[in-house]
Amino acid sequence: MEKRFLEAGKITNTHGVRGEVRITPWADSAQFLRRFSVFYIDEKPVRVLSSRVHKSQLIAKLEGVDDVNTAMGLKNRVICIDRADAKLPEGRFFVQDLLGLPVRSDAGEELGTLADVLELPQGNVYVVRGAREILIPDVPEFVLDVNAETGLTVHLIEGM
């Protein structure tokens, strides 16, 4: 069953003295998070009064957070978005929906399950755990099909 709230980032610090918070995005980018007018902290809605991107971080002014002391109380809290508010382009998925799915080779071999997605500067890498751990770059040469219901089909080369 799909979770309603998706973890989208973490409040890592305050910004200034007027209650703004600095959020490290776990989504595609801080710019992606700017699309949302409501975040959820512990499944409680918090309106986003304003936001801007600063050095790959999101600086946000949240309703009810008017000073640095209140903002400091939110440090290290995870912010979530409502799945219904997040429309993804065709062929894109939330990582949370893919974790735990079966991974098969194009030869039909069961390789294990998708355990993690490493977001590296050069691109994402899928971590597959089964009889052994396999790291698979998320590029069309290796990742042939991603289906949120049936799993992933990948092409392996010698040494993978």
Side-chain angles (χ1 to χ4, degrees), residues 14 25-27 34 46 66-67 77-78 85 98 102 105 111 122 135 143 153 155:
T14 60
W26 293 345
R34 287 201 69 218
V46 179
D66 298 317
D67 59 55
R77 304 289 292 278
V78 173
D85 296 338
L98 300 179
S105 74
L111 301 173
Q122 60 273 31
L135 302 178
V143 180
T153 303
H155 174 72

Short mmCIF file of all heavy atoms in Angstrom, two decimals, residues 14 25-27 34 46 66-67 77-78 85 98 102 105 111 122 135 143 153 155:
data_model
loop_
_atom_site.label_atom_id
_atom_site.label_comp_id
_atom_site.label_asym_id
_atom_site.label_seq_id
_atom_site.Cartn_x
_atom_site.Cartn_y
_atom_site.Cartn_z
N THR A 14 18.47 26.81 11.21
CA THR A 14 17.70 28.03 11.06
C THR A 14 18.40 28.89 10.01
O THR A 14 19.54 28.62 9.63
CB THR A 14 17.63 28.81 12.38
OG1 THR A 14 18.96 29.15 12.77
CG2 THR A 14 16.98 27.98 13.47
N PRO A 25 16.97 19.00 0.82
CA PRO A 25 15.96 18.20 0.11
C PRO A 25 16.39 16.76 -0.07
O PRO A 25 17.55 16.48 -0.33
CB PRO A 25 15.85 18.91 -1.24
CG PRO A 25 17.16 19.59 -1.42
CD PRO A 25 17.67 19.92 -0.05
N TRP A 26 15.44 15.85 0.08
CA TRP A 26 15.65 14.45 -0.24
C TRP A 26 14.94 14.14 -1.55
O TRP A 26 15.03 13.03 -2.05
CB TRP A 26 15.13 13.55 0.87
CG TRP A 26 15.90 13.66 2.14
CD1 TRP A 26 17.13 14.23 2.33
CD2 TRP A 26 15.49 13.19 3.43
NE1 TRP A 26 17.50 14.15 3.65
CE2 TRP A 26 16.51 13.52 4.34
CE3 TRP A 26 14.37 12.55 3.89
CZ2 TRP A 26 16.43 13.20 5.69
CZ3 TRP A 26 14.29 12.24 5.23
CH2 TRP A 26 15.32 12.55 6.13
N ALA A 27 14.23 15.10 -2.07
CA ALA A 27 13.55 14.95 -3.36
C ALA A 27 14.56 15.30 -4.45
O ALA A 27 15.74 15.49 -4.18
CB ALA A 27 12.34 15.88 -3.40
N ARG A 34 9.80 23.70 -3.86
CA ARG A 34 9.16 25.02 -3.92
C ARG A 34 7.73 24.94 -4.44
O ARG A 34 6.94 25.85 -4.22
CB ARG A 34 9.95 25.97 -4.82
CG ARG A 34 11.25 26.42 -4.16
CD ARG A 34 11.79 27.69 -4.76
NE ARG A 34 10.91 28.81 -4.41
CZ ARG A 34 10.61 29.81 -5.23
NH1 ARG A 34 11.09 29.84 -6.44
NH2 ARG A 34 9.83 30.77 -4.83
N VAL A 46 1.73 22.02 7.81
CA VAL A 46 2.36 23.31 8.12
C VAL A 46 2.42 24.09 6.82
O VAL A 46 3.07 23.63 5.86
CB VAL A 46 3.78 23.13 8.71
CG1 VAL A 46 4.42 24.48 9.00
CG2 VAL A 46 3.75 22.27 9.96
N ASP A 66 7.94 32.22 13.88
CA ASP A 66 8.20 33.66 13.70
C ASP A 66 9.52 34.15 14.27
O ASP A 66 9.83 35.32 14.14
CB ASP A 66 7.04 34.46 14.31
CG ASP A 66 5.73 34.16 13.62
OD1 ASP A 66 5.73 34.07 12.37
OD2 ASP A 66 4.71 33.98 14.31
N ASP A 67 10.27 33.25 14.90
CA ASP A 67 11.55 33.69 15.45
C ASP A 67 12.54 32.54 15.43
O ASP A 67 12.18 31.39 15.22
CB ASP A 67 11.39 34.26 16.88
CG ASP A 67 10.79 33.25 17.84
OD1 ASP A 67 11.34 32.14 17.98
OD2 ASP A 67 9.75 33.57 18.47
N ARG A 77 14.06 17.84 12.16
CA ARG A 77 12.75 17.25 11.89
C ARG A 77 12.65 16.94 10.40
O ARG A 77 13.15 17.67 9.56
CB ARG A 77 11.62 18.20 12.28
CG ARG A 77 11.67 18.65 13.73
CD ARG A 77 11.32 17.56 14.72
NE ARG A 77 9.95 17.15 14.68
CZ ARG A 77 8.96 17.79 15.29
NH1 ARG A 77 9.18 18.87 15.99
NH2 ARG A 77 7.73 17.34 15.18
N VAL A 78 11.99 15.86 10.08
CA VAL A 78 11.78 15.45 8.69
C VAL A 78 10.50 16.11 8.18
O VAL A 78 9.48 16.11 8.86
CB VAL A 78 11.66 13.91 8.59
CG1 VAL A 78 11.27 13.47 7.20
CG2 VAL A 78 12.97 13.26 9.01
N ASP A 85 -0.38 15.76 -3.71
CA ASP A 85 0.08 17.08 -4.17
C ASP A 85 1.25 16.99 -5.14
O ASP A 85 1.64 17.99 -5.73
CB ASP A 85 0.51 17.94 -2.98
CG ASP A 85 -0.64 18.25 -2.04
OD1 ASP A 85 -1.80 18.17 -2.48
OD2 ASP A 85 -0.37 18.55 -0.86
N LEU A 98 9.72 2.24 -4.83
CA LEU A 98 10.53 1.23 -5.50
C LEU A 98 11.28 0.33 -4.52
O LEU A 98 11.58 -0.82 -4.85
CB LEU A 98 11.54 1.89 -6.44
CG LEU A 98 10.95 2.75 -7.56
CD1 LEU A 98 12.06 3.37 -8.39
CD2 LEU A 98 9.99 1.95 -8.42
N PRO A 102 11.19 -6.54 -6.38
CA PRO A 102 12.10 -7.55 -6.93
C PRO A 102 12.88 -7.00 -8.13
O PRO A 102 12.37 -6.18 -8.89
CB PRO A 102 11.18 -8.69 -7.35
CG PRO A 102 9.83 -8.07 -7.53
CD PRO A 102 9.78 -6.89 -6.60
N SER A 105 17.17 -10.05 -13.85
CA SER A 105 18.01 -9.77 -15.02
C SER A 105 17.17 -10.00 -16.28
O SER A 105 16.13 -10.68 -16.23
CB SER A 105 19.24 -10.67 -15.03
OG SER A 105 18.86 -11.98 -15.40
N LEU A 111 17.56 -11.53 -8.94
CA LEU A 111 18.80 -10.98 -8.35
C LEU A 111 18.63 -10.56 -6.90
O LEU A 111 19.61 -10.47 -6.16
CB LEU A 111 19.27 -9.79 -9.18
CG LEU A 111 19.55 -10.09 -10.65
CD1 LEU A 111 19.84 -8.80 -11.41
CD2 LEU A 111 20.69 -11.08 -10.78
N GLN A 122 27.20 11.87 -10.17
CA GLN A 122 27.22 11.40 -11.56
C GLN A 122 25.94 10.66 -11.93
O GLN A 122 25.78 10.26 -13.09
CB GLN A 122 28.45 10.53 -11.83
CG GLN A 122 28.55 9.30 -10.98
CD GLN A 122 29.25 9.52 -9.65
OE1 GLN A 122 29.20 10.60 -9.07
NE2 GLN A 122 29.90 8.50 -9.15
N LEU A 135 25.59 -3.35 -7.37
CA LEU A 135 25.39 -1.92 -7.60
C LEU A 135 25.15 -1.72 -9.11
O LEU A 135 25.97 -2.14 -9.92
CB LEU A 135 26.60 -1.11 -7.15
CG LEU A 135 26.98 -1.26 -5.67
CD1 LEU A 135 28.23 -0.46 -5.36
CD2 LEU A 135 25.84 -0.83 -4.78
N VAL A 143 19.52 -0.44 -16.76
CA VAL A 143 18.16 -0.49 -16.22
C VAL A 143 17.20 -0.47 -17.40
O VAL A 143 16.99 0.56 -18.04
CB VAL A 143 17.89 0.68 -15.26
CG1 VAL A 143 16.47 0.60 -14.71
CG2 VAL A 143 18.89 0.67 -14.11
N THR A 153 13.74 -4.65 -14.24
CA THR A 153 14.46 -5.57 -15.11
C THR A 153 15.76 -4.87 -15.49
O THR A 153 15.75 -3.71 -15.94
CB THR A 153 13.66 -5.89 -16.38
OG1 THR A 153 12.40 -6.44 -15.99
CG2 THR A 153 14.40 -6.91 -17.24
N HIS A 155 20.02 -5.27 -17.04
CA HIS A 155 20.99 -6.00 -17.85
C HIS A 155 22.33 -5.94 -17.10
O HIS A 155 22.81 -4.86 -16.78
CB HIS A 155 21.13 -5.36 -19.23
CG HIS A 155 22.21 -5.98 -20.05
ND1 HIS A 155 22.08 -7.23 -20.60
CD2 HIS A 155 23.44 -5.53 -20.40
CE1 HIS A 155 23.18 -7.52 -21.27
NE2 HIS A 155 24.03 -6.51 -21.17
#
